[in-house]
Amino acid sequence: TVIDDFSHRVASLAGFAGNPRLEVVRADARDLLQIQPLIQQMDAVVALAAVVGAPACDVDPRRATEVNYDAVRALMEAMEPRQRLVFPNTNSGYGVGGYAPLDETAPFNPVSHYGRTKALAERAVLSRPNSVSLRFATLFGASFRPRLDLLVNDFVYRAVRDGALSLFEPAARRNFLHVQDAAAAIELALVDERMPGRAFNV
């Protein structure tokens, strides 16, 4: 069952519409009255609803807080202890770092409203025993609604459009994750009994 408010007006699920196992419900993740009856029927919930990225959150910080934090808290209250909650997070919570790799024990130090809302939500999620947080690297890959503010997607777009790339801060490092690997991590978190109660860099 997929809950989507279709605010982006893209039929990203159209390719799966013929699957009899798929149910799509038009609803807002912030509307607990609307989603609670659906949640109660589930074995597990993947909390994908979010205002993603610092620029998007800065446009409407209040909405970002409502979706990225308040809706997650409400979702947790609507769930029963038996239900697994998988929370796709971001490694933006770490903030600006040096060159040393960071593991899951590194403290969060978010520098954006986006990072702060996701860090707060993760803290709440991990206070619930049957929950897993996945701290994703910057995602890339094909999409019905490609985000060109993601570095790999932007590089591909500019290479095709302009035939060249301009690089800034050549010593800077970023980590990346293909969307198919993100989906595989979510699938694992739904079934692996060793994962609840913990956060994982992906």
Side-chain angles (χ1 to χ4, degrees), residues 138-162 164-165 174-179:
T138 299
L139 294 174
F140 72 96
S143 167
F144 287 97
R145 189 177 61 87
R147 284 183 53 202
L148 297 181
D149 60 323
L150 299 175
L151 191 61
V152 175
N153 291 355
D154 177 60
F155 274 12
V156 171
Y157 174 73
R158 289 175 187 273
V160 171
R161 187 191 69 181
D162 303 336
L165 294 175
R174 293 290 300 269
N175 52 9
F176 300 100
L177 180 70
H178 193 275
V179 291

Side-chain angles (χ1 to χ4, degrees), residues 73-92:
R73 291 296 304 262
L75 175 67
M76 290 169 50
E77 292 172 14
M79 293 178 68
E80 298 176 13
R82 66 171 178 83
Q83 295 173 301
R84 175 77 48 91
L85 173 60
V86 177
F87 178 66
N89 199 359
T90 171
N91 65 13
S92 295

